């Protein structure tokens, strides 16, 4: 049995309060944590569906009822995405920049959430403020040898059969799992030869005579007609005849044009000689692919500029070691099922290259049922392009693409929704989105949840009083542990170690099992020393 086939974690019991990255309180943020030496993508999928989240190898779950700013897991149903007007504006603005080099943000910059994803960094900052986290990381890194599974207790034979959806056979040789998407961007030119009936007419809103409106003034026009007249005049100014302009405006739109889908906006063609070219590369970050290693230094430099310019971090906090620990290192083991995703599952960086220069990076996990956003950073010189919003839409587009290879992969996880922090509420604008009930772990429409959160910062979203966490009934003897490199059940561990034990850890193991759920507790190995 290989240690890579199973999840191996060290659990840290609830610690004292620490600094909150959202309300800036110094000691009111609480969470449970564990260090993941190894983790299967299936176990992590089940963990994030119970409110857990990773930063590097450290996994944490907010203590929702006592923490100052409760963090609710949020996900978007990517296949049913409804793009908002502000999100469309972001796409169009980027297209203008690629086409003509136009950097004017316009009045829609704020409404489009131009810097919204910048506040995503607060999640990582909150994790890094956990007391003794660097020491825990060092201890865990030194303890790697003790977390190898050398022997398996005979009593576990037949129990440890990993049964997941799909074939879990892993390819023997790790290939350079990189994928490149070329983006073309956007100007639709309607041919002047299009022949359609002219759009002339005196469509007017007739004002009734009498009190109120001045009957001596001409009838007011509908706003729609005013817009058409402006477009008509714009076409005439561009050199089209009045008849050609009328025909182009009267031309019936195709149904697909009326409901522009995400892929249409992304793939709009650029002019023959665009001002800039944007390329998207999906590269595996753990274990690092060849392409990732070749671009690692460039990626770090963008991260360093971003942290210092956008978040005001001092240079000594933007070290390469910190960057690697939290944004490159990952416990997730690659999974390559037959007939699965071309690049497999695991941890990746989605790189954004403009004119051959790396300008932004999205850190993501591809899991059995979702694409999970971990972090996003960009070159602050291009902050006016709302790259955070654009990257989220690109990651949703990736989710939709992967759905074609695996029908169960259909959600985009955006980390945590923090209703008490106005800067983090933008995540609810990706519709339809759902929040996770912190008590029974069921999903509920975000718009319904927001009404409740306006009244109370902590809420149970499931209205059924009889609903409960079905995976929360702990059977202590069934919890798997790893002690002295031997994998066994907790009852075997207690029987073997009873004579030497000075501290009873049953309560801590019970707490761990309740938090991760018995499904994971029966699959993951909890390190016991």
């Amino acid at each position: 049995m290989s240690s890579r086939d199973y999840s191996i974690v060290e659990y840290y019991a609830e610690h004292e309060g620490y600094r909150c990255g959202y309300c800036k309180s110094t000691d009111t943020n609480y969470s449970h944590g564990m260090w993941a030496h190894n983790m299967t993508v299936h176990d992590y999928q089940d963990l994030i569906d119970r409110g857990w989240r990773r930063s590097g190898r450290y996994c944490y779950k907010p203590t929702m009822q006592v923490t100052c700013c409760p963090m609710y897991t949020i996900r978007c149903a990517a296949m049913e995405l409804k793009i908002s007007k502000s999100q469309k504006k972001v796409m169009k603005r980027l297209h203008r920049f690629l086409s003509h080099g136009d950097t004017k943000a316009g009045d829609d910059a704020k409404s489009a959430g131009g810097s919204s994803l910048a506040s995503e960094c607060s999640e990582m900052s909150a994790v890094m403020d956990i007391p003794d986290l660097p020491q825990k990381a060092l201890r865990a890194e030194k303890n790697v040898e003790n977390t190898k599974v050398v022997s398996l207790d005979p009593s576990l034979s037949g129990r440890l059969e990993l049964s997941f959806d799909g074939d879990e056979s892993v390819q023997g040789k790790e290939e350079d799992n990189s994928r490149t998407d070329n983006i073309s961007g956007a100007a639709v030119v309607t041919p002047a030869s299009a022949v359609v009936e002219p759009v002339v007419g005196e469509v007017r809103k007739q004002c009734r005579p009498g009190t109120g409106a001045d009957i001596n003034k001409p009838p007011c026009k509908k706003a729609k007609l005013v817009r058409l007249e402006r477009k008509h005049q714009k076409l005439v100014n561009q050199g089209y005849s009045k008849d050609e302009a009328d025909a182009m405006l009267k031309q019936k739109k195709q149904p697909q044009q009326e409901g522009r889908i995400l892929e249409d906006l992304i793939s709009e063609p650029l002019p023959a000689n665009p001002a800039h070219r944007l390329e998207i590369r999906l590269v595996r970050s753990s274990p690092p692919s060849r392409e990732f290693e070749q671009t690692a230094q460039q990626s770090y430099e963008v991260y360093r500029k971003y942290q210092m310019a956008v978040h005001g971090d001092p240079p000594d906090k933007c070290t390469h070691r910190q960057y690697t620990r939290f944004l490159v290192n990952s416990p997730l083991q690659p999974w390559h099922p037959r007939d699965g995703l071309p690049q497999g599952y695991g941890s990746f960086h989605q790189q954004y290259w403009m004119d051959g220069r790396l300008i932004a990076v999205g850190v993501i996990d591809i899991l059995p049922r979702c694409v999970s956003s971990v972090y996003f950073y960009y070159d602050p010189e291009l902050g006016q392009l709302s790259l955070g919003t654009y990257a989220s839409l690109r990651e949703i587009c990736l989710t939709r693409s992967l759905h074609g290879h695996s029908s169960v992969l259909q959600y985009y996880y955006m980390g945590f929704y923090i209703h008490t922090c106005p800067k983090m509420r933008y995540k609810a604008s990706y519709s339809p989105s759902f929040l996770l009930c912190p008590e029974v772990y069921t999903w509920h429409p975000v718009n319904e949840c927001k009404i409740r959160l306006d009244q109370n910062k902590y809420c149970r979203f499931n209205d059924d009083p009889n609903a409960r966490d079905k995976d929360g009934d702990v059977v202590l003897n069934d919890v798997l542990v790893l002690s002295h490199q031997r994998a066994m059940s907790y009852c075997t561990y207690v029987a073997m170690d009873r004579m030497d034990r000075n501290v009873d850890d049953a309560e801590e193991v019970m707490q761990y099992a309740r938090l991760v759920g018995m499904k994971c507790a029966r699959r993951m190995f909890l390190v016991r020393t």
Side-chain angles (χ1 to χ4, degrees):
M1 179 184 70
S2 169
S3 299
R4 293 183 59 179
D5 295 337
Y6 300 93
S7 301
I8 300 175
V9 301
E10 292 186 57
Y11 174 67
Y12 303 128
E14 184 176 5
H15 43 67
E16 297 179 356
Y18 56 95
R19 179 180 177 275
C20 177
Y22 305 105
C23 68
K24 308 306 179 183
S25 174
T26 58
D27 60 355
T28 56
N29 197 356
Y30 293 86
S31 68
H32 301 271
M34 60 186 179
W35 192 268
H37 292 276
N38 290 319
M39 185 165 287
T40 67
V41 293
H42 302 85
D43 286 336
Y44 186 55
Q45 175 74 73
D46 288 340
L47 285 174
I48 63 173
D49 284 338
R50 292 183 65 82
W52 288 85
R53 180 162 166 77
R54 80 168 185 90
S55 181
R57 292 181 177 272
Y58 183 76
C59 300
Y60 61 103
K61 176 179 168 65
T63 312
M64 298 288 281
Q65 290 177 295
V66 298
T67 194
C68 53
C69 297
M71 307 176 196
Y72 298 89
T73 300
I74 183 171
R75 74 181 186 185
C76 172
M79 304 310 298
E80 304 166 22
L81 177 70
K82 299 172 183 174
I83 307 176
S84 67
K85 289 184 178 179
S86 63
Q87 290 161 357
K88 287 181 181 178
K89 288 179 180 179
V90 169
M91 304 289 284
K92 292 178 180 178
R93 184 162 65 248
L94 180 63
H95 182 266
R96 288 199 307 270
F97 178 73
L98 295 176
S99 299
H100 312 295
D102 178 10
T103 59
K104 184 180 178 181
D107 296 333
D108 56 293
K110 292 183 179 180
S111 64
S115 60
S116 58
L117 264 179
S119 56
E120 186 79 15
C121 184
S122 299
E123 294 185 11
M124 187 181 76
S125 299
V127 175
M128 293 171 63
D129 287 332
I130 292 177
D132 301 325
L133 181 56
Q135 290 80 357
K136 291 175 181 176
L138 288 172
R139 187 183 70 188
E141 290 167 1
K142 292 178 180 177
N143 200 31
V144 170
E145 286 300 317
N146 294 328
T147 61
K148 290 183 178 179
V149 181
V150 174
S151 63
L152 182 68
D153 189 86
S155 63
L156 298 182
S157 298
R159 271 189 56 189
L160 295 178
E161 293 183 0
L162 299 181
S163 55
F164 305 117
D165 295 333
D167 185 353
E168 61 161 323
S169 58
V170 178
Q171 296 176 358
K173 182 179 180 181
E174 184 67 29
E175 300 176 355
D176 179 11
N177 293 294
S178 61
R179 199 179 65 134
T180 300
D181 292 330
N182 289 320
I183 293 186
S184 48
V188 177
V189 179
T190 307
S193 58
V195 179
V196 208
E197 293 182 4
V199 83
V200 184
E202 294 297 323
V203 182
R204 297 174 182 267
K205 180 179 179 181
Q206 299 295 332
C207 299
R208 294 181 182 178
T211 59
D214 187 349
I215 59 174
N216 295 320
K217 291 184 178 180
C220 55
K221 298 180 181 179
K222 284 187 176 181
K224 182 178 180 181
L225 182 59
V226 173
R227 289 195 299 269
L228 283 174
E229 289 178 348
R230 288 175 181 170
K231 290 179 181 179
H232 183 275
Q233 186 58 46
K234 185 177 180 180
L235 291 171
V236 171
N237 293 340
Q238 291 176 354
Y240 294 101
S241 68
K242 289 186 178 182
D243 289 342
E244 288 172 339
D246 288 339
M248 292 167 67
L249 291 175
K250 187 65 177 177
Q251 186 178 16
K252 263 193 171 181
K253 293 182 178 180
Q254 298 298 322
Q256 190 176 12
Q257 288 179 318
E258 292 180 347
R260 303 280 307 277
I261 63 174
L262 178 60
E263 288 78 4
D264 290 336
L265 290 170
I266 285 177
S267 61
E268 280 195 84
L270 290 169
N273 296 301
H276 304 283
R277 291 192 181 275
L278 184 63
E279 181 184 19
I280 309 298
R281 301 177 189 172
L282 182 65
V283 299
R284 183 178 289 278
S285 56
S286 180
S289 64
R290 184 174 62 254
E291 184 169 279
F292 175 82
E293 290 178 332
Q294 292 171 346
T295 60
Q297 184 61 31
Q298 293 164 276
S299 184
Y300 165 66
E301 292 297 337
V302 175
Y303 161 80
R304 181 180 172 85
K305 287 175 63 178
Y306 172 81
Q307 293 297 125
M308 293 171 61
V310 178
H311 295 288
D313 288 357
D316 61 339
K317 281 193 174 183
C318 305
T319 64
H320 198 285
R321 181 180 181 84
Q322 174 186 290
Y323 163 74
T324 301
R325 179 175 285 169
F326 288 99
L327 295 179
V328 178
N329 292 347
S330 169
L332 301 185
Q333 299 304 313
W335 184 52
H336 297 271
R338 296 194 187 97
D339 302 324
L341 307 183
Q343 70 286 334
Y345 299 82
S347 297
F348 297 82
H349 280 193
Q350 184 150 280
Q351 301 176 337
Y352 297 75
W353 293 82
M354 184 177 290
D355 303 329
R357 178 172 69 96
L358 184 63
I359 63 165
V361 177
V363 183
I364 62 173
D365 293 327
I366 299 179
L367 305 176
R369 298 190 293 275
C370 74
V371 169
S372 174
S373 174
V374 178
Y375 198 59
F376 178 76
Y377 55 95
Y378 57 87
D379 188 331
E381 294 177 7
L382 297 172
Q384 76 279 6
L385 295 179
S386 305
L387 290 175
T389 300
Y390 178 76
S392 290
L393 295 172
R394 285 292 312 190
E395 289 170 7
I396 291 174
C397 188
L398 173 64
T399 305
R400 292 157 66 108
S401 173
L402 297 179
H403 175 76
H405 298 277
S406 174
S407 60
V408 297
L409 199 162
Q410 53 186 312
Y411 295 105
Y412 174 60
Y413 283 57
M414 296 174 278
F416 289 129
Y417 173 81
I418 300 94
H419 194 72
T420 55
C421 180
K423 288 184 178 180
M424 298 299 286
R425 294 185 184 181
Y426 72 90
K427 294 183 180 182
S429 66
Y430 295 88
S431 179
S433 289
F434 304 85
L435 296 186
L436 184 69
C437 176
E439 295 184 11
V440 297
Y441 305 111
T442 50
W443 295 96
H444 303 269
V446 68
N447 289 333
E448 297 177 8
C449 299
K450 285 165 61 178
I451 298 173
R452 302 187 180 196
L453 293 173
D454 285 336
Q455 305 299 321
N456 298 289
K457 65 179 183 179
Y458 173 78
C459 293
R460 169 188 166 123
F461 301 133
N462 194 310
D463 289 329
D464 183 358
N466 298 319
R468 60 187 183 88
D469 174 15
K470 297 179 181 178
D471 205 27
D473 295 332
V474 176
V475 181
L476 190 59
N477 287 342
D478 286 354
V479 177
L480 297 186
V481 300
L482 180 63
S483 178
H484 300 93
Q485 299 184 324
R486 183 178 178 184
M488 63 191 79
S489 62
Y490 184 73
C491 61
T492 302
Y493 162 69
V494 170
M496 290 180 58
D497 211 28
R498 189 179 300 277
M499 299 300 296
D500 300 327
R501 285 156 59 93
N502 297 319
V503 179
D504 184 6
D505 62 357
E507 184 177 345
E508 181 178 302
V509 177
M510 283 279 290
Q511 185 184 75
Y512 155 81
R514 278 196 298 268
L515 291 170
V516 303
M518 277 307 296
K519 185 189 298 184
C520 285
R522 289 188 173 101
R523 291 198 310 236
M524 304 194 307
F525 290 120
L526 174 64
V527 175
R528 300 282 89 187
T529 56

